[in-house]
Amino acid sequence: GESVGLHLPTLSVQEGDNSIINCAYSNSASDYFIWYKQESGKGPQFIIDIRSNMDKRQGQRVTVLLNKTVKHLSLQIAATQPGDSAVYFCAENIVGTDKLIFGTGTRLQVFP
Amino acid sequence: NAGVTQTPKFRILKIGQSMTLQCAQDMNHNYMYWYRQDPGMGLKLIYYSVGAGITDKGEVPNGYNVSRSTTEDFPLRLELAAPSQTSVYFCASIEKGPAGTQYFGPGTRLLVL
C-alpha cells in the first residue's frame, strides 16, 4: 500500500548535538522524497529533497540519506539549534503521479 | 511576491453550513494543492490541480469541491460542514510538480460545531 511513517514521534536533543530523524516508506515506486519543517502555527517549509537515484544529499547543516533496500529515509541536522525545534515531515512522490504522500511527523525538541 | 495566501485564518461553522476557503498565489505556478492536517497528524491531500480548468481528487476528497478557473486562484468549497471536517487546511503551489519546492500558505483553521 501507500504509506509513509516515522519511527519516533518525539525527539529531544541538547543544543549543539546532532539530530537524526527517521522515516520509513512502503512504496517501492516512490522516486522522490522531501523533508519539510513545520513550526507551530505555520505551514510546512521545504528543507531538502532527494531523488531515488541518489543515496545522500547535503544542504546547509542538513543531510538526507536514502536507503532504498530497506525503504528508509533519514534527516540529519548538525549542531542542532533552538530554532530547529519544530515538527519534521517526510513526504514521498510515487513516480508518474502528481501527488505527495506525507508521513505523520516527528517533533524535535531542543533543550539548552 | 506575496507567495501563497489563504483566507480566512480562522472560522467556526455550524453543522450543515457551507463555506469557501480561498487560496491565491502570485508566482504563476501551474500546480496547486489542498491539504488538511488533523491534530498531531501529517497532511492529507484533498484535491489538486495541474493547471487552470484541471482538477483531480486526492486521498480524502469526500465532502469537498474545488474549481480552478484561473492560474492564481484555487478555492476549496465545503457544502455541508461536518464535525469531521474540523482541521487546519493548507494550500500549496509549485511551478511544475510535484518535484521541487512546494510553497505553503499559512493555513485556515476550521472548527465545525
Side-chain angles (χ1 to χ4, degrees):
Chain A
E2 302 175 359
S3 67
V4 176
L6 295 175
H7 299 304
L8 300 173
T10 303
L11 177 64
S12 296
V13 298
Q14 190 166 23
E15 183 178 355
D17 286 352
N18 297 333
S19 303
I20 300 175
I21 301 172
N22 297 303
C23 177
Y25 66 96
S26 61
N27 199 314
S28 58
S30 294
D31 69 341
Y32 177 68
F33 305 87
I34 309 176
W35 279 102
Y36 284 91
K37 172 186 180 182
Q38 187 177 26
E39 297 174 277
S40 181
K42 296 183 179 180
Q45 180 183 11
F46 174 95
I47 300 174
I48 192 168
D49 60 357
I50 189 168
R51 293 199 174 274
S52 60
N53 61 352
M54 304 172 68
D55 53 18
K56 180 179 180 179
R57 191 165 187 219
Q58 288 184 297
Q60 187 176 11
R61 280 200 310 118
V62 295
T63 301
V64 56
L65 299 177
L66 176 62
N67 185 330
K68 294 180 286 294
T69 302
V70 295
K71 298 190 183 70
H72 184 266
L73 193 68
S74 69
L75 177 70
Q76 300 180 358
I77 304 174
T80 311
Q81 303 170 359
D84 295 326
S85 294
V87 177
Y88 290 81
F89 295 96
C90 63
E92 64 177 319
N93 170 242
I94 300 170
V95 62
T97 74
D98 294 309
K99 299 179 284 190
L100 281 178
I101 299 173
F102 282 78
T104 307
T106 292
R107 181 173 302 278
L108 177 65
Q109 297 176 328
V110 183
F111 58 92
Chain B
N1 288 349
V4 180
T5 58
Q6 290 183 241
T7 56
K9 290 184 180 180
F10 176 68
R11 182 77 180 267
I12 299 175
L13 282 182
K14 294 182 180 178
I15 294 172
Q17 285 185 320
S18 62
M19 77 164 292
T20 299
L21 283 68
Q22 301 291 346
C23 174
Q25 51 90 11
D26 60 358
M27 298 173 282
N28 202 33
H29 286 171
N30 291 313
Y31 287 60
M32 296 186 74
Y33 299 81
W34 272 109
Y35 296 91
R36 59 175 286 172
Q37 185 176 32
D38 297 332
M41 302 295 288
L43 282 76
K44 297 289 187 183
L45 181 64
I46 305 172
Y47 270 96
Y48 66 102
S49 169
V50 301
I54 306 169
T55 62
D56 210 344
K57 296 179 180 178
E59 301 170 82
V60 290
N62 292 342
Y64 307 94
N65 276 300
V66 293
S67 60
R68 185 93 182 273
S69 57
T70 66
T71 299
E72 294 77 19
D73 300 297
F74 190 39
L76 177 71
R77 180 80 178 165
L78 282 72
E79 291 294 349
L80 290 171
S84 62
Q85 294 178 305
T86 293
S87 191
V88 180
Y89 292 83
F90 289 101
C91 179
S93 76
I94 188 168
E95 181 178 8
K96 199 163 52 175
T101 304
Q102 274 200 10
Y103 293 87
F104 282 83
T108 293
R109 185 175 297 274
L110 178 65
L111 180 61
V112 182
L113 301 174

